[in-house]
Amino acid sequence: MACSKETFINHGVKICPSLETQGRGLFTTRSFKNGETIIEEQPLFSCQFSWNYAYGYSACDFCMRPLETAEENARRLTAKPDLILPHTECDGTDKSFHVICSKCAVTYCSVECKDQAWNQYHKTICCNMLGGNPNHPVEKLNEAWKKMHYPPETSTIMLLVRILANFIQRSDREELKGQLMSLCHHTVNEEETIAHKLLGQEFESQLELLRDLSTKALGMPETNEFLTPQGFRSLIALIGRNGQGIGTSAFSVWVRKVSENEIDPTTDALIDTIYQEMETESGDFLNNEGSALFAIQSAVNHSCEPNCVSTFPFSNHTVALVASKDIEENEEVFISYLDECALSRSRHSRRKILEENYLFHCNCSRCQLEADEPDMTSEDEESMEDD
């Protein structure tokens, strides 16, 4: 598949118009084998979800690396304070590197993360962080968001806070504006739909409340254009549409290292038991969860028959796109925006989910191939499975 007018090229990929979507797409500039990493990318911004933070999931405030040891993580999620994990050498958490902001006590996994946070956004909002000052507009903004957006979370207003704080701190604001503009592909109607999806039925009044609190917290000449009614709506739509979910877990790192090194086959039963106890005690909420904006990753389009997957191999906010099949040079890279369960559904159900959540009508190769199949909702499919 040929493309033209490329806008980015680096490390075997390029961003240019996609014939599939008539928008941006990510294409290869060389071939990749199944299992090969196509790119690794750090986000423009990332942030832990507000309720996830409030419930005590401990992660680096910059990169979301777990701050708990695997044993601490397992003890908390199983509610078993005496649980002992063997093979501590497989624990990926080293607390000797952890540092705390002396002004507001926010914790980072390393000095490097602390410095990057300070230079990017933390200098502006330090001492006004979550829980630090309940009367400060940043905290009032966060609390207002939490009341509008209960778990399971899909985004966070604190991502927007970091964007605005970065505009205040940095000198090359046009570069940041250009990066954010590359993520914006919405009409006014689409932005309203995304805001409605994110905030619920009373989204107009809620949007205005969030805008007012954001203005009180971060309203400065550098941010004024983003705090107008339309500018703010656009930012909300940007984080709602482009936010990539992140999940990190100290226990999952330990499990992976134990399995990779084949240290002790007898731990398989222990691992299964712990996961069962975690599910009983904590349900689906097992990870440090958050959202991030990626400049390159955001260009990857959806397919119901993807050729790569997004992974987080370092248990932080660095994303890796990994080929899930052989990919030829100049071929478009696709991921699935749907989870495995939704991806197994009928064409009609998949398209319905994508239209409701991502505002596009999927016409991927699989959807075209299944065009003659009868329309079937997820409820219909579940009924057939029960029979």
Side-chain angles (χ1 to χ4, degrees):
M1 181 185 298
C3 64
S4 60
K5 196 180 178 182
E6 69 187 47
T7 58
F8 169 89
I9 183 167
N10 188 27
H11 301 303
V13 293
K14 58 187 175 184
I15 296 175
C16 54
S18 168
L19 298 180
E20 293 281 347
T21 65
Q22 298 182 347
R24 299 193 313 161
L26 189 70
F27 292 78
T28 60
T29 58
R30 66 173 179 84
S31 62
F32 289 88
K33 293 294 185 182
N34 184 8
E36 188 176 356
T37 298
I38 299 171
I39 61 165
E40 290 177 0
E41 180 185 10
Q42 291 196 358
L44 300 174
F45 301 95
S46 68
C47 190
Q48 188 176 1
F49 289 144
S50 298
W51 279 109
N52 194 264
Y53 179 96
Y55 284 145
Y57 289 73
S58 184
C60 174
D61 191 65
F62 182 75
C63 78
M64 287 193 58
R65 185 184 299 278
L67 297 176
E68 294 175 305
T69 65
E71 189 171 84
E72 289 171 337
N73 189 210
R75 287 177 172 180
R76 178 170 59 82
L77 294 176
T78 60
K80 291 192 170 182
D82 298 325
L83 176 66
I84 302 295
L85 287 185
H87 308 300
T88 55
E89 71 277 11
C90 292
D91 197 321
T93 302
D94 187 343
K95 291 191 174 186
S96 67
F97 289 102
H98 294 180
V99 293
I100 297 174
C101 176
S102 60
K103 297 182 179 179
C104 67
V106 165
T107 307
Y108 301 93
C109 69
S110 66
V111 172
E112 290 76 15
C113 279
K114 178 176 177 289
D115 291 344
Q116 288 185 74
W118 183 264
N119 293 330
Q120 189 180 94
Y121 60 85
H122 192 63
K123 181 179 179 180
T124 297
I125 58 177
C126 184
C127 298
N128 307 323
M129 298 298 292
L130 305 184
N133 181 356
N135 295 317
H136 192 278
V138 170
E139 183 58 23
K140 288 183 177 180
L141 172 63
N142 184 58
E143 287 301 313
W145 171 267
K146 285 163 63 180
K147 291 176 182 177
M148 300 174 190
H149 206 266
Y150 288 95
E153 298 173 272
T154 58
S155 190
T156 172
I157 197 69
M158 296 304 291
L159 196 58
L160 183 144
V161 166
R162 294 186 179 188
I163 292 172
L164 296 177
N166 191 232
F167 265 106
I168 293 170
Q169 289 190 202
R170 67 190 293 161
S171 56
D172 54 341
R173 297 184 184 94
E174 290 304 313
E175 179 184 356
L176 175 57
K177 189 183 297 185
Q179 291 172 327
L180 295 178
M181 288 298 294
S182 71
L183 303 179
C184 293
H185 307 286
H186 321 303
T187 65
V188 172
N189 288 339
E190 285 178 326
E191 289 178 350
E192 182 171 311
T193 302
I194 296 170
H196 188 286
K197 180 75 177 176
L198 209 56
L199 301 176
Q201 291 298 322
E202 300 177 358
F203 77 99
E204 283 288 3
S205 60
Q206 292 179 337
L207 195 68
E208 186 56 30
L209 173 61
L210 293 174
R211 187 177 76 89
D212 178 63
L213 290 172
S214 297
T215 301
K216 290 176 179 176
L218 294 157
M220 296 185 70
E222 297 87 351
T223 59
N224 283 344
E225 66 179 293
F226 302 102
L227 294 171
T228 64
Q230 184 54 50
F232 191 76
R233 187 190 299 267
S234 295
L235 271 187
I236 287 287
L238 183 146
I239 65 173
R241 182 75 176 272
N242 295 284
Q244 164 75 51
I246 299 173
T248 65
S249 162
F251 181 70
S252 66
V253 171
W254 178 86
V255 169
R256 187 180 72 243
K257 289 186 176 182
V258 168
S259 302
E260 287 176 349
N261 295 319
E262 299 180 344
I263 293 173
D264 183 0
T266 63
T267 59
D268 289 348
L270 173 64
I271 290 169
D272 290 342
T273 298
I274 291 174
Y275 271 127
Q276 289 172 5
E277 291 172 344
M278 284 180 175
E279 185 175 356
T280 299
E281 180 66 28
S282 303
D284 294 330
F285 306 103
L286 302 183
N287 298 331
N288 307 311
E289 295 180 345
S291 184
L293 299 177
F294 294 94
I296 305 172
Q297 161 85 0
S298 66
V300 181
N301 289 311
H302 164 84
S303 173
C304 297
E305 197 170 30
N307 55 15
C308 74
V309 294
S310 298
T311 66
F312 294 88
F314 308 110
S315 197
N316 63 9
H317 65 192
T318 300
V319 70
L321 287 176
V322 180
S324 56
K325 58 182 68 174
D326 291 349
I327 304 175
E328 299 300 319
E329 180 181 351
N330 209 34
E331 185 177 345
E332 185 166 3
V333 172
F334 292 103
I335 60 174
S336 172
Y337 296 176
L338 304 173
D339 61 27
E340 289 186 14
C341 180
L343 202 58
S344 68
R345 298 295 184 184
S346 68
R347 173 179 183 265
H348 176 76
S349 292
R350 297 195 311 269
R351 283 182 148 193
K352 186 173 184 291
I353 296 170
L354 290 166
E355 286 175 3
E356 289 178 350
N357 291 278
Y358 299 97
L359 310 182
F360 72 88
H361 192 67
C362 187
N363 197 36
C364 69
S365 57
R366 181 182 169 192
C367 285
Q368 292 181 50
L369 187 66
E370 298 174 358
D372 294 332
E373 293 185 1
D375 288 345
M376 186 180 294
T377 65
S378 296
E379 290 76 15
D380 293 332
E381 295 173 62
E382 289 170 359
S383 177
M384 289 181 65
E385 291 170 1
D386 292 338
D387 294 341

